[in-house]
Amino acid sequence: RSVVEAMACGRPCVIANNGGVSELFRDGETGISFQSGSAQSLSRGMERLYQSQDLRRELSERALAPARNQFALPRLGREVISAYQDVL
């Protein structure tokens, strides 16, 4: 959840490649992935962001719209209503 919130706030993310937000996250496009469990891989991803303001800006811009669309209140409201209707 925190990754999606960061993306919706326009913050670039470095994310372990073990799933989670795969429907929103695309490596090199909406963020940077690293090999889960590898401190060296995490360090490389963080270094890439640190060294390139352009990359930070591009990843942030590309991540913003999908994150906001996925978790927009009207959409979530429709999904909750649909879930209740399915149960009833």
Side-chain angles (χ1 to χ4, degrees), residues 60-80:
S60 295
E61 289 173 358
R62 286 188 225 127
L64 194 58
R68 286 190 175 171
N69 290 338
Q70 181 76 17
F71 295 96
L73 287 178
R75 180 171 186 243
L76 291 176
R78 286 190 302 273
E79 289 178 7
V80 168

Side-chain angles (χ1 to χ4, degrees), residues 14-88:
V14 179
I15 303 170
N17 62 359
N18 61 354
V21 293
S22 58
E23 69 275 0
L24 296 176
F25 181 80
R26 290 178 302 284
D27 186 33
E29 197 172 319
T30 59
I32 296 173
S33 70
F34 69 94
Q35 175 139 4
S36 182
S38 170
Q40 185 177 19
S41 180
L42 170 60
S43 176
R44 281 193 304 265
M46 293 173 68
E47 184 74 19
R48 283 182 62 200
L49 282 181
Y50 177 76
Q51 290 184 352
S52 177
Q53 182 176 358
D54 289 339
L55 178 62
R56 290 191 306 271
R57 187 186 77 256
E58 290 169 10
L59 293 176
S60 295
E61 289 173 358
R62 286 188 225 127
L64 194 58
R68 286 190 175 171
N69 290 338
Q70 181 76 17
F71 295 96
L73 287 178
R75 180 171 186 243
L76 291 176
R78 286 190 302 273
E79 289 178 7
V80 168
I81 289 170
S82 177
Y84 278 113
Q85 289 173 337
D86 289 347
V87 171
L88 300 175

